[in-house]
Amino acid sequence: MTVCDDRIEMAEASDELTLDIMFEWLEKMPIPEGTKIEIVGGNIFMSPQRHTHFQIIFDILEQLRTRYPRKRLASDVRIDFPGHLNGFACDVAAVAERSVKDEKGRWRYQDVEFVAEVISKDTAANDYGPKKTAYAVAEVPVYLIADPYQGKCHLYTQPKDGEYIAELSVSFGADVDMTTTHLELTLKTDEFPRD
């Protein structure tokens, strides 16, 4: 029996479920390549990445490279956020220059300056609901949802008391003006594909 197995059995016996234990379970499962895995409010969500999804993520990352070096950008990398068992794999995350990884080698939510989520049908409720709340509670200054089903981007800024005070909706094809945020950039959406 491995140390990991011992810890899982101890957690099961003590009813103490942690994100680390849940992710250890998931790492032992035969999950297909290209499947995004997140834990939102203690619930496990798995969704395969579609080409449309990837194109939007890649486009956002390319545009963020004018502002962030590659080492401060992440995609589908686990970051734990406030709330009950929230281990998110943000589609795009950008961290502050002062950021350092924690003792487990993960970015801290306190250092996240920007998050983008690209909507998938099966997990859209998470992005518009509990994840949006968790990002606001974590005081992520800029949260962008790109929704290829609506053909719109939703920009949320100014987190306060667990909510975003400002919201802007822009149709694909128009620019998302983030020049008034610390990002100081305009996101072009003219090449964002629709589903």
Side-chain angles (χ1 to χ4, degrees), residues 99-195:
S99 303
V100 292
K101 293 182 180 176
D102 67 15
E103 66 281 351
K104 295 178 182 178
R106 291 193 288 267
W107 294 116
R108 300 171 338 114
Y109 75 84
Q110 296 92 333
D111 296 330
V112 176
E113 294 184 333
F114 171 84
V115 168
E117 296 289 2
V118 180
I119 296 298
S120 296
K121 279 187 180 177
D122 295 337
T123 58
N126 288 338
D127 296 331
Y128 284 110
K131 288 174 75 175
K132 179 180 162 194
T133 299
Y135 295 144
V137 168
E139 297 185 351
V140 173
V142 181
Y143 174 40
L144 177 78
I145 294 177
D147 192 328
Y149 302 101
Q150 294 178 357
K152 289 185 176 183
C153 283
H154 303 279
L155 181 68
Y156 302 96
T157 58
Q158 301 175 28
K160 184 177 180 183
D161 299 327
E163 294 182 9
Y164 283 102
I165 302 218
E167 178 182 349
L168 171 69
S169 293
V170 175
S171 294
F172 283 9
D175 295 345
V176 180
D177 182 0
M178 296 187 286
T179 56
T180 60
T181 72
H182 68 281
L183 295 175
E184 299 175 346
L185 64 84
T186 300
L187 185 73
K188 305 285 186 189
T189 68
D190 52 321
E191 294 186 15
F192 284 13
R194 296 175 184 240
D195 260 345

Side-chain angles (χ1 to χ4, degrees), residues 43-60:
N43 297 304
I44 298 168
F45 292 89
M46 295 185 219
S47 56
Q49 189 178 80
R50 298 172 338 281
H51 189 66
T52 299
H53 198 101
F54 168 76
Q55 285 181 311
I56 295 172
I57 291 168
F58 192 76
D59 198 344
I60 293 169

Side-chain angles (χ1 to χ4, degrees), residues 59-77:
D59 198 344
I60 293 169
L61 284 166
E62 280 187 320
Q63 292 183 60
L64 285 175
R65 287 282 289 129
T66 63
R67 173 76 173 84
Y68 288 91
R70 185 175 290 119
K71 66 182 179 181
R72 290 181 33 221
L73 293 171
S75 178
D76 291 341
V77 174

